[in-house]
Amino acid sequence: QVQLVESGGGLVQPGGSLRISCAASGIIFSSYVMGWYRQAPGKQRELVASITQGGTTNYADSAKGRFTISRDNAKNTVYLQMSSLKLEDTAVYYCNAKRIRSPVDWLNYWGQGTQVTVSS
């Protein structure tokens, strides 16, 4: 079965850094676009960053210049390095794996999330 397991969340002070990880199993990892989403209380889930099979990255405006997404296909793991953290970065961060083979044939998997809290 497919499993995405996030780790590395925790409490950090404003201006601090965290690296969260997502380890995937049950998929051919290199065939998937990997992404990090987050959901704060009272808000919709939003895309933070994504990385394609070929390593092309995309970031939300709020993350540009502060966050870096990377992947290690040998370890079936995607990372999100977060720096200069702000209070508004507080959220549950979810790992996503996506593969669209055709308009009627697509796969989309989610992890259970890891809590990131930015607070003094």
Side-chain angles (χ1 to χ4, degrees):
Q1 63 176 2
V2 177
Q3 191 171 37
L4 304 178
V5 180
E6 300 97 334
S7 62
L11 177 65
V12 63
Q13 292 188 337
S17 298
L18 276 179
R19 189 179 75 158
I20 56 177
S21 303
C22 171
S25 60
I27 61 171
I28 302 174
F29 182 79
S30 60
S31 296
Y32 284 75
V33 176
M34 301 301 298
W36 286 100
Y37 291 72
R38 68 186 180 190
Q39 188 165 25
K43 293 188 175 182
Q44 302 250 70
R45 187 173 298 188
E46 64 176 352
L47 175 69
V48 178
S50 65
I51 183 165
T52 69
Q53 300 95 319
T56 300
T57 58
N58 182 61
Y59 297 93
D61 287 342
S62 60
K64 288 179 180 175
R66 300 189 300 124
F67 293 3
T68 301
I69 188 171
S70 61
R71 66 192 295 161
D72 187 338
N73 287 349
K75 296 181 178 179
N76 286 2
T77 301
V78 63
Y79 306 93
L80 186 67
Q81 176 67 49
M82 301 180 287
S83 300
S84 301
L85 283 161
K86 305 173 180 179
L87 296 181
E88 53 264 43
D89 294 319
T90 295
V92 177
Y93 284 72
Y94 296 92
C95 180
N96 173 261
K98 182 185 298 181
R99 183 160 73 98
I100 300 174
R101 298 180 290 194
S102 80
V104 294
D105 184 16
W106 56 275
L107 301 169
N108 196 45
Y109 301 105
W110 294 92
Q112 301 235 313
T114 186
Q115 176 71 47
V116 173
T117 302
V118 184
S119 177
S120 298

